Amino acid sequence: MVRLILSLVIIGACCSFTAHANEAAEAAIKAAYNDIHQRFLAGDVGGDFYTKDALFFPPMGGKIDSTEGITQSFVGMLEHGLILKPVPVEVEVYGDVAYERGIGYLSNQQGELLSKDDYMVIWKKEDGHWKIYRDLVRGTPPPAN
C-alpha cells in the first residue's frame, strides 16, 4: 500500500512539473509572437525568429528554405504595406519541440482585413530560445471583385 501511495505521489509530481513546463513554453511562444508582431510593425523583419534550417510554406504555394528567403518574403509584405498578426489558438509542447495552430490576420495600413489564414507552426528550441522550425500557411483565395 505504501508503494502504491508513493507511486501515485511521484506520478502526480511528474504530471504537475510537465504541466508547468508546458505552460511556461506556451507563454514563451506567445511572447515570441508578440515580439515578432511588434518588430514587424516597426519594420524589423529579420529572420532570427526562425531556426537556421527553417522551412516556410507560404499561403499560395511554394517553399522557402532559407532564413534569408523568409526574411525577403516578409520584406516584400512590408513594402506592399501589409501587416501580419498571428494569433495562436492551440499550442502543444513536447520537450524542446512544440506545435502550434493559429489564425493569421493580414491587413493593409488602413486596417482593412485582407485575409484570415489558418497556419501550423512547429517550434524548436535553438540556443535556448523558441524559434520557428516549420511554418505552413493555408491561404484563402482573395475575394472576387
Side-chain angles (χ1 to χ4, degrees):
M1 184 64 157
V2 172
R3 283 186 174 170
L4 174 62
I5 292 172
L6 185 57
S7 296
L8 292 174
V9 168
I10 290 171
I11 290 170
C14 289
C15 291
S16 175
F17 174 76
T18 301
H20 291 299
N22 286 351
E23 288 171 9
E26 185 174 343
I29 287 169
K30 287 181 178 181
Y33 261 137
N34 186 52
D35 180 49
I36 290 167
H37 182 65
Q38 294 305 313
R39 287 174 54 190
F40 195 91
L41 290 175
D44 175 10
V45 293
D48 62 335
F49 38 84
Y50 281 85
T51 63
K52 296 172 187 105
D53 56 348
L55 294 176
F56 175 50
F57 300 89
M60 296 305 169
K63 173 178 74 172
I64 302 172
D65 60 2
S66 70
T67 53
E68 296 81 19
I70 294 168
T71 298
Q72 286 308 307
S73 73
F74 288 121
V75 166
M77 289 176 66
L78 279 179
E79 288 174 350
H80 287 93
L82 301 175
I83 300 169
L84 175 65
K85 173 132 178 84
V87 178
V89 172
E90 173 185 20
V91 177
E92 290 286 332
V93 180
Y94 302 94
D96 287 346
V97 176
Y99 87 85
E100 170 203 355
R101 179 181 63 83
I103 300 169
Y105 297 89
L106 187 65
S107 304
N108 59 21
Q109 293 290 329
Q110 294 74 36
E112 178 185 0
L113 182 64
L114 303 174
S115 72
K116 178 179 159 187
D117 302 322
D118 293 317
Y119 69 84
M120 193 76 102
V121 169
I122 298 174
W123 292 81
K124 219 163 107 170
K125 264 200 175 172
E126 184 176 85
D127 302 326
H129 300 282
W130 285 102
K131 295 187 177 187
I132 298 171
Y133 175 60
R134 300 290 185 257
D135 189 352
L136 173 65
V137 181
R138 186 179 74 182
T140 55
N145 289 348

